[in-house]
Amino acid sequence: FIFASSIISILIAIMKKKIYDISILFSLGAKNKLIYCIFLWYSLIYIVFGIIFGTSIGLLASYYFDSIIQNFEKFLNIKIFPSNAYFISFIPVKVIYSDVLCIVSLIFLLVITCSLYSIFKIIHKNSIKSILS
């Protein structure tokens, strides 16, 4: 949800920056479908890079979680899981790739839906001047 809302805000900022280009396209006779396609490509680019980088960083962090915690403990010179307070000395991490695929696909569908909604909302305003405000 946070990723989808950031995509929506990025798209709205892009559309506000590109409002004069959009108005030129409208004055040249471009249809709403062309504007949909342009900004849908923008959102697809953001989605693909976000999913690739986010998933790879998350999987790398989960794979090397024990060494990250150990280095963090050495750096701060503290014990995160002291043996006198906790029964465990580590956090068990197990990556289930089917869950990762399910989460990635849900994020993709959510962001595409939210992107289409934001594009629809901005394009179907009454005039270009209403978008500027």
Side-chain angles (χ1 to χ4, degrees):
F1 181 74
I2 294 170
F3 182 69
S5 64
S6 67
I7 292 293
I8 291 170
S9 64
I10 287 172
L11 281 174
I12 290 173
I14 287 172
M15 289 190 80
K16 287 198 180 221
K17 285 183 181 179
K18 303 274 185 183
I19 196 68
Y20 298 110
D21 297 336
I22 293 171
S23 62
I24 289 172
L25 286 173
F26 277 136
S27 66
L28 290 174
K31 303 291 182 198
N32 286 344
K33 187 176 179 180
L34 177 66
I35 307 299
Y36 280 131
C37 291
I38 290 171
F39 288 101
L40 189 62
W41 275 108
Y42 271 125
S43 63
L44 284 175
I45 289 170
Y46 285 120
I47 293 167
V48 168
F49 283 123
I51 286 175
I52 288 172
F53 289 130
T55 305
S56 60
I57 288 171
L59 288 175
L60 284 174
S62 65
Y63 183 71
Y64 293 112
F65 191 74
D66 289 332
S67 61
I68 290 171
I69 294 295
Q70 289 172 359
N71 290 332
F72 190 69
E73 288 176 345
K74 287 179 189 176
F75 179 71
L76 294 179
N77 200 14
I78 61 168
K79 190 80 170 150
I80 294 177
F81 299 112
S83 61
N84 58 355
Y86 297 103
F87 293 116
I88 59 171
S89 61
F90 65 94
I91 295 177
V93 176
K94 181 180 178 185
V95 177
I96 301 171
Y97 290 104
S98 62
D99 290 346
V100 172
L101 182 65
C102 181
I103 290 169
V104 165
S105 61
L106 284 175
I107 287 173
F108 185 79
L109 289 174
L110 180 67
V111 173
I112 286 292
T113 305
C114 293
S115 299
L116 287 173
Y117 175 72
S118 65
I119 294 167
F120 179 79
K121 184 178 175 183
I122 288 180
I123 287 181
H124 281 80
K125 297 255 183 179
N126 291 335
S127 66
I128 298 297
K129 291 180 184 178
S130 65
I131 298 174
L132 286 172
S133 58

